[in-house]
């Protein structure tokens, strides 16, 4: 205890590093378990489906055929449609997906959770249930109403209840990359009412399936596809392709990675700190150890003295870490609550997480101190009481480095090189601080780069308008004549299964006009390229997934119309960061489909002045299914990502500072303890306080200077790990680390280092000259 | 009895440093320790003084105060008429840097610097130093100047310490038990180096020791007991260190 009081600052610095490791582990692992448990419970209780199928239109009886497929436990038919909404306070039309739900009772799959209000009232056809996220974004309440444009007719709906669905824990508007709760709604309507509106009595266009435990998803999917094929099925997907589940799983994978990478860094630093501090301490106390042993204390009792000290520090770290980790976990849970819509999400206080975190800490403490404590325990009394001979220095190869340098500088360089391993480890330790900062700031760089590439280089339109069905290209003239429209270019989406050898991908071919200027493709060097007239262009990610190269011929099974199968040559591979698309010339795909010029929608460039007129005109065009406004997409992205990122940056700044302060402070204290006599001698010789400080702080400065590039490199490496772990078919995190990121990371660590140096400088100033000179080394 | 003024032999010389009724009290938990009580003395230009006394007699405290490492609780210290006791830390540092050379019992060399570099530490910062080579030659260590402290014997280390102390051509050389850690033969070599400095450079020299034999090489011997000067005597003739033995 007395030792703790004497060395409290050093002890606290180490405890903070241990605490950071524990905190990060408790937060990420605790959150991971919370999410896993919550998701599993939610899926279980609300019977989340296993397979999801979309089709054009099939008679109700077809669902019976699906139910009879071996491995299918149950299946539900639904109607699922897109429509536009006219929301007060929103210029552009909002989109909604509207899904049928039983008039009374609940389906056997994808049941809803009622947050407030009521289920459908009997006899009220205009009742809808609204997903909570959209309701919150627009402050909608049960009893309120919503105006929609369905099948060309304006309709007013009454909000019966606010609900949550396991199918939409994470909601993405079609074709978007980020959630946009203000402009994309999910609603449910009673099956009879919805089928009346869309003329779908006795038919369905969406099916959800629950499979038997142990059944092969892929077998079931291919059998479902066979059943639905005649009815315009566009291919069933399992949970792995279901957006909400995919994102949730992605987030959990990230947490897992964070929990695997972060804490080991902190524990490694803690091991190193404990090792140096305890070794030095035992060195200083050799005499006392000898005395105690001479008095008859056993080796174990001597060792126990140091072990108690280490245990106290570690325990302090564990307490700090468990507290901080829980606090951060609670914060993260509420942040997740904004993106992931669960009926309940609590940060789970899973006892085993805390036990594992504590166990890891004590293991780190053990590894850090075992060798030093063993040395102490093994010292024989006689040996221990003989003072250590003066440190032996020799001229090394490095002498040329300090040729012509003054004495103090020579002292710095020789001291660093005398203990090269310790110096290198100190630099690595400080470097980890930079690394932690770089690896989090990298996300901002990567995001900025993605936004810039996607929204200024590739997508140059202001909005894209999608029609309910394909339309003749003539409609483009109508679009062009809307107020404020400066240019409009057509696009065509064609659902397709691309096959090459045994690989296949379900997706849409995105066909655009030749020489289009509003939506472009990039070659592998990120330069804009022209879309070839024939053949298919694949994004790099897609080409990797299909394992095809330039010149290969792939099979494209078109999933609409006559469903022709095309053989297409891969004529170009493009670089994309978002999505993994396939592109074709719109004339070429129309030719292949034996269609005259049909389009799915248009990219629009417009004059900002006429925005309100443009949107209000769109709201009145019945064939418009969706309007995606680029600016609001970017805004939605920034709103969600930046909030998330800023919190991460905040915590990581603290973590990086803890590491830098911990390592620098301990290095300074150890150096000060080793050199107190030398520094006092120099003061006696007439060196000023500043000149004496220079020797110690100069050494720290050199170690720090070495640490910065090491840390930057480590940070780049960690960014690379993040980038590789986030290389998915929905988006790819480019490995972009800006110089500003390096500068910021270095600045944080230097600031922490300088603050520590100031404290150390004060200790040098207060050095008791006479006391320091009395003791013999 | 005014000891300082009673010393007629030095009446015609000016004092390099002068202490006037200095006291030093260390505040303790239970009781205060009076390390020095009202000590007055002068050290004159070129004089060699030995301070004798048992442990705890206050001789190290006196040396530390005269050397500008410590301040007295009361009383005045004058260096060439300037009042040291009014100096702040920086002024005291400059006083040590320019005027005082220290030699300690345990040498206090910088382990990471060679003999030559240890001496250079001082020559790099003082105003009118001799070269490090010259200082090392004066103590007979010119040929060992590229050795690190760990490669030198105790006597050699102490001679490096002396070379380091005299390289700045100090006005006063303060030696605190310079032979305390050495055998007599080595100790005598070290004392010879100190004597050379005193004679050749005319440096006022104060040596603290509890070895009464060393007193024979001094001009004047000041004996301390219980924080007070108990006796001052002048040697009619200084003995050479080589004539000493213990």
């Amino acid at each position: 205890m007395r030792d703790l009081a004497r060395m409290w600052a050093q002890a606290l610095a180490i405890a903070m590093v241990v605490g950071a490791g524990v905190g990060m582990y408790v937060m990420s692992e605790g959150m991971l378990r919370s999410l896993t448990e919550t998701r599993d419970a939610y899926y279980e209780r609300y019977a989340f489906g296993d397979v999801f199928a979309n089709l054009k239109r099939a008679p109700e009886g077809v669902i019976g055929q699906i139910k009879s497929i071996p491995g299918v436990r149950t299946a539900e038919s639904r109607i699922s449609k897109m429509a536009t909404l006219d929301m007060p306070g929103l210029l552009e039309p909002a989109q909604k997906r509207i899904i049928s739900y039983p008039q009374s009772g609940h389906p056997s799959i994808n049941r809803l959770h009622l947050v407030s209000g009521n289920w459908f009232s009997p006899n009220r056809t205009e009742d809808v249930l609204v997903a909570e996220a959209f309701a919150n974004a627009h402050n909608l309440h049960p009893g309120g109403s919503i105006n929609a444009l369905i099948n060309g007719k304006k309709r007013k709906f009454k909000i019966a209840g606010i609900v949550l669905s396991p199918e939409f824990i994470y909601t993405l508007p079609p074709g978007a990359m980020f959630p946009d709760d203000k402009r994309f709604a999910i609603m449910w309507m009673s099956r009879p009412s919805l089928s009346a509106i869309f003329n779908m009595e006795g038919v369905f266009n969406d099916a959800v399936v629950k499979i038997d435990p142990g059944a092969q998803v892929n077998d079931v999917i291919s059998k479902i596809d066979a059943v639905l094929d005649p009815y315009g099925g566009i291919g069933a997907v399992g949970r792995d392709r279901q957006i909400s589940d995919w994102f949730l799983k992605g987030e959990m994978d990230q947490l897992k990675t964070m929990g695997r990478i972060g804490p080991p860094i902190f524990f490694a630093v803690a091991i190193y700190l404990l090792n140096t501090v305890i070794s030095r301490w035992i060195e200083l106390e050799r005499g006392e150890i000898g005395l105690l042993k001479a008095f008859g204390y056993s080796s174990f009792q001597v060792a126990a003295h140091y072990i108690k000290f280490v245990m106290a520090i570690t325990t302090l770290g564990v307490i700090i870490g468990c507290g901080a980790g829980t606090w951060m976990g609670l914060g993260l849970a509420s942040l997740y609550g904004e993106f992931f819509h669960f009926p309940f999400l609590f940060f789970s206080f899973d006892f085993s997480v805390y036990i594992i975190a504590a166990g890891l800490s004590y293991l780190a403490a053990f590894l850090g101190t075992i060798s030093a404590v063993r040395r102490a325990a093994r010292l024989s009394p006689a040996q221990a009481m003989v003072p250590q001979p003066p440190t032996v220095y020799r001229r090394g190869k490095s002498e040329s480095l300090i040729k012509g340098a003054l004495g103090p500088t020579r002292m710095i360089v020789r001291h660093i090189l005398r203990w090269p391993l310790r110096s290198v480890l100190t630099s690595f330790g400080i470097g980890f601080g930079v690394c932690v900062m770089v690896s989090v700031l990298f996300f901002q760089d990567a995001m900025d780069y993605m936004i810039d590439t996607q929204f200024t280089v590739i997508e140059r339109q202001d909005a894209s308008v999608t029609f309910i069905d394909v339309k003749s290209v003539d409609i483009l003239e109508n679009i062009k004549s809307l107020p404020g429209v400066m240019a409009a270019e057509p696009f065509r989406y064609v659902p397709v299964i691309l096959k090459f050898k045994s690989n296949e991908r379900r997706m849409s071919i995105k066909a655009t006009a030749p020489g289009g200027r509003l939506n472009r493709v990039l070659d592998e060097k990120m330069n804009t390229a022209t879309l070839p007239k024939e053949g298919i262009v694949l994004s790099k990610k897609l080409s990797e997934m299909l394992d095809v190269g330039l010149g290969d011929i792939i099979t494209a099974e078109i999933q609409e119309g006559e469903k022709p199968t095309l053989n297409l040559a891969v004529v170009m591979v493009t670089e994309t960061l978002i999505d993994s698309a396939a592109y074709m010339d719109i004339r070429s795909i129309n030719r292949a489909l034996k269609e005259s010029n049909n389009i799915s929608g248009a990219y629009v460039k417009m004059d900002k002045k006429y925005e309100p007129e443009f949107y209000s005109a769109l709201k009145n065009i019945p064939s418009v299914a969706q309007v995606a406004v680029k600016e609001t997409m970017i805004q939605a992205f920034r709103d969600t990502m930046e909030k998330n990122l800023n919190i991460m940056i905040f915590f990581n700044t603290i973590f990086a500072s803890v590491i830098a302060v911990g390592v620098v402070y301990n290095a300074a204290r150890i150096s000060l303890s080793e050199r107190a006599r030398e520094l006092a001698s120099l003061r006696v010789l007439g060196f000023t306080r500043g000149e004496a400080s220079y020797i110690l702080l100069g050494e720290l400065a050199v170690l720090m200077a070495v640490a910065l590039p090491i840390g930057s490199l480590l940070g780049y490496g960690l960014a690379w790990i993040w980038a590789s772990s986030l290389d998915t078919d929905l988006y790819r995190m480019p490995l972009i680390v800006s110089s500003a990121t390096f500068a910021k990371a270095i600045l944080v660590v230097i600031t922490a280092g300088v603050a520590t140096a100031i404290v150390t400088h004060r200790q040098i100033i207060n050095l008791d000259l006479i006391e320091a000179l009395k003791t013999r080394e | 009895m005014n000891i300082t003024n009673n010393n007629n032999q030095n009446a015609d010389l000016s004092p390099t440093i002068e202490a006037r009724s200095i006291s030093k009290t260390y505040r303790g938990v239970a009781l205060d320790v009076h390390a020095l009580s009202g000590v007055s003395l002068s050290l004159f230009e070129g004089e060699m003084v030995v301070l004798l006394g048992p442990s705890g007699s206050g001789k190290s405290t006196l040396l530390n105060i005269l050397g500008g490492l410590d301040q007295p609780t009361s009383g005045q210290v004058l260096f060439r008429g300037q009042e040291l006791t009014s100096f702040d830390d920086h002024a005291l540092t400059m006083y040590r840097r320019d005027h005082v050379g220290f030699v300690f019992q345990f040498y206090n060399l910088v382990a990471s610097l060679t003999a030559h570099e240890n001496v250079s530490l001082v020559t790099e910062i003082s105003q009118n130093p001799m070269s490090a080579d010259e200082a090392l030659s004066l103590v007979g260590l010119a040929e060992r100047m590229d050795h690190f402290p760990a490669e030198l014997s105790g006597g050699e280390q102490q001679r490096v310490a002396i070379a380091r102390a005299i390289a700045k051509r100090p006005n006063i050389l303060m030696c605190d038990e310079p032979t305390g850690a050495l055998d007599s033969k080595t100790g005598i070599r070290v004392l010879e180096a100190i004597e050379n400095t005193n004679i050749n450079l005319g440096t006022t020299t104060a040596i603290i020791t509890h070895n009464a034999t060393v007193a024979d090489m001094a001009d004047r011997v000041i004996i301390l007991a219980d924080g007070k000067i108990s006796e001052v005597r002048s040697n009619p003739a200084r003995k050479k260190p080589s004539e000493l033995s213990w």
Side-chain angles (χ1 to χ4, degrees), chain A residues 393-395 406-407 410-411 414 677-678 681-689 691 770 773 776, chain B residues 69-70 89 93-94 96-97 102 106 108 110-114 117 121 124-125 146 148 164 168:
Chain A
Y393 281 88
R394 289 199 177 80
R395 282 166 194 261
L406 294 184
R410 285 170 193 253
M411 288 173 72
R414 292 218 182 102
R677 245 170 83 87
E678 277 185 0
S681 301
L682 295 181
R683 292 279 286 123
V684 169
L685 292 177
F687 279 67
T688 61
R689 288 167 168 171
E691 287 164 341
I770 297 159
L773 291 171
R776 180 171 180 165
Chain B
L69 289 179
D70 206 351
D89 180 80
T93 302
M94 289 302 129
R96 293 196 300 270
R97 175 184 290 208
F102 278 99
F106 296 117
N108 286 8
V110 176
S112 58
L113 297 178
T114 62
E117 290 163 348
L121 267 183
E124 282 162 6
I125 59 167
D146 285 333
F148 284 96
R164 189 175 65 178
K168 68 172 76 157

Side-chain angles (χ1 to χ4, degrees), chain A residues 405-658:
Chain A
L406 294 184
T409 304
R410 285 170 193 253
M411 288 173 72
I412 291 173
V413 174
R414 292 218 182 102
H415 194 254
I416 289 174
L417 297 175
R418 179 64 184 72
W419 285 278
L421 182 67
R422 188 170 82 187
S423 305
V424 166
L425 287 178
T426 303
S427 286
F428 262 87
I430 302 169
F432 276 131
V434 179
C435 166
V436 165
M437 273 321 281
V438 169
S439 70
V440 67
L441 290 173
F442 143 74
F443 281 96
Q444 203 151 45
D445 291 340
M447 294 290 174
D448 284 345
Y449 184 81
M450 280 168 90
I451 292 185
D452 184 57
T453 313
Q454 191 66 26
F455 296 120
T456 62
V457 183
I458 298 178
E459 298 186 21
R460 305 205 300 168
Q461 79 281 9
D462 293 314
S464 60
V465 178
T466 311
F467 306 118
I468 291 171
D469 301 302
V470 289
K471 299 278 175 222
S472 159
V473 74
D474 303 338
I475 198 169
L476 206 58
E477 293 310 315
N478 296 351
I479 297 287
K480 281 181 183 165
S481 66
L482 291 177
V485 173
M486 291 153 66
E489 289 174 8
F491 65 82
R492 173 91 161 90
Y493 280 135
V494 183
V496 69
I497 302 174
L498 295 179
K499 288 185 174 171
F500 186 71
K501 293 181 186 159
S502 60
N503 306 313
E504 63 167 73
R505 286 314 281 188
R506 264 169 207 290
M507 54 187 318
S508 286
I509 290 176
K510 189 170 159 185
T512 54
R517 302 191 51 77
L518 296 184
N519 206 291
R520 305 184 293 185
V521 292
L522 302 183
D523 65 17
E524 282 188 277
K525 288 181 186 133
M526 306 300 276
N527 296 318
T528 53
T530 324
L531 207 55
K533 281 184 181 151
E534 299 294 332
I536 189 166
V537 175
L538 302 183
S539 67
K540 198 160 148 230
K541 183 73 186 173
L542 182 59
S543 73
E544 284 163 10
M545 288 188 293
L546 290 172
D547 195 23
V548 297
L550 276 181
D552 285 334
I553 305 286
I554 60 170
T555 313
E557 295 174 2
I558 305 292
Q559 296 296 301
E560 64 168 46
E562 303 276 294
K563 293 201 173 185
T565 294
L566 314 174
N567 288 317
L568 298 168
V570 177
V571 288
M572 190 173 150
V573 173
T574 71
E575 190 60 78
T576 57
L577 295 170
I578 293 174
D579 217 340
S580 37
Y583 305 90
M584 283 179 76
D585 185 315
I586 196 166
R587 293 169 306 186
S588 156
I589 190 89
N590 274 327
R591 232 179 0 258
L593 293 172
K594 300 195 174 66
E595 289 175 2
S596 54
N597 286 322
N598 278 349
I599 67 174
S600 312
Y603 298 121
V604 174
K605 183 110 196 130
M606 61 182 178
D607 187 340
K608 287 244 182 302
K609 274 193 300 205
Y610 298 99
E611 241 177 5
E613 290 87 345
F614 173 73
Y615 290 127
S616 95
L618 273 186
K619 282 176 187 173
N620 292 314
I621 299 179
S623 52
V624 169
Q626 187 195 353
V627 184
V629 182
K630 191 167 85 176
E631 212 160 276
T632 62
M633 279 165 80
I634 298 176
Q635 199 49 49
F637 170 80
R638 289 216 181 270
D639 287 350
T640 51
M641 288 315 295
E642 283 190 354
K643 190 167 171 191
N644 208 340
L645 257 178
N646 285 339
I647 291 173
M648 293 298 291
I649 289 170
F650 172 73
F651 281 123
N652 278 278
T653 307
I654 292 176
F655 288 151
S657 307
V658 163

Side-chain angles (χ1 to χ4, degrees), chain A residues 124-437:
Chain A
R124 267 239 303 269
T125 53
E126 71 275 23
D127 270 2
V128 288
L129 303 169
V130 180
E132 191 185 39
F134 185 77
N136 287 347
H138 289 278
N139 202 20
L140 301 176
H141 299 284
S145 59
I146 296 183
N147 293 319
L149 191 66
I150 293 183
N151 253 2
K153 279 196 197 133
K154 283 192 176 175
R155 286 175 185 271
K156 195 173 188 132
F157 294 116
K158 192 140 188 75
I159 302 169
I162 307 295
V163 293
L164 287 167
S165 161
E167 203 179 345
F168 300 103
I169 294 172
Y170 188 87
T171 328
L172 276 188
M177 195 200 156
F178 333 109
D180 186 353
D181 292 334
K182 221 166 168 62
R183 289 171 196 83
F184 183 60
I186 311 284
M187 286 182 200
W188 289 263
M189 200 169 191
S190 76
R191 177 82 178 258
S193 310
L194 195 60
S195 44
I197 292 173
F198 286 96
N199 296 321
M200 292 190 72
E201 282 96 349
V203 294
F204 68 98
N205 70 349
D206 191 76
V208 278
V209 175
K210 201 126 189 82
I211 62 171
D212 288 327
Q216 287 296 314
V217 179
N218 289 336
D219 291 353
V220 174
I221 286 177
S222 56
K223 289 188 178 107
I224 292 175
D225 284 349
V227 170
L228 293 179
D229 191 60
Y231 307 102
I234 56 162
V237 293
R239 280 186 186 179
D240 61 331
R241 305 277 298 162
Q242 202 267 344
I243 290 287
S244 165
D245 190 67
W246 188 92
F247 265 94
L248 192 53
K249 197 171 163 299
E251 190 59 41
M252 289 158 78
D253 287 344
Q254 271 193 58
L255 274 176
K256 210 179 279 176
T257 311
M258 193 200 281
R260 303 275 184 280
I261 295 176
I265 289 180
F266 291 96
F267 288 131
V269 173
I271 289 174
Y272 156 72
L273 290 180
L274 281 169
N275 182 272
T276 51
V277 169
I278 301 299
S279 297
R280 177 62 195 161
W281 185 27
I282 286 172
E283 206 51 64
L284 286 175
E285 291 194 342
R286 276 170 73 93
E288 283 94 325
I289 295 171
L291 211 60
L292 288 175
K293 285 196 142 184
F295 288 157
Y297 280 82
S298 70
S299 297
F300 176 74
Q301 282 168 313
V302 168
H305 171 67
Y306 296 100
I307 290 169
K308 270 188 230 161
F309 178 79
V310 172
M311 291 290 279
I313 291 182
T314 313
T315 306
L316 180 64
V318 169
I319 293 170
I320 292 173
C322 287
T326 307
W327 179 67
M328 293 189 296
L330 290 171
L332 193 61
S334 77
L335 189 67
Y336 276 172
E338 289 180 28
F339 304 122
F340 297 109
H341 309 295
F342 289 104
F344 43 84
L345 174 64
F346 303 111
F347 181 69
S348 120
F349 298 94
D350 190 335
F351 201 56
S352 66
V353 171
Y354 295 90
I355 295 292
I356 293 171
L360 289 172
S361 309
Y362 289 113
L363 178 68
F366 173 80
L367 292 175
T369 45
I370 182 67
S371 68
V373 170
R374 257 199 359 227
R375 268 204 308 279
R378 279 185 184 164
L379 270 178
S380 75
Q383 205 189 340
M385 292 205 284
V386 175
Q388 286 281 79
T391 313
V392 178
Y393 281 88
R394 289 199 177 80
R395 282 166 194 261
K397 289 173 196 146
S398 55
E399 284 303 309
S400 57
L401 260 177
I402 47 177
K403 211 171 161 191
L406 294 184
T409 304
R410 285 170 193 253
M411 288 173 72
I412 291 173
V413 174
R414 292 218 182 102
H415 194 254
I416 289 174
L417 297 175
R418 179 64 184 72
W419 285 278
L421 182 67
R422 188 170 82 187
S423 305
V424 166
L425 287 178
T426 303
S427 286
F428 262 87
I430 302 169
F432 276 131
V434 179
C435 166
V436 165
M437 273 321 281

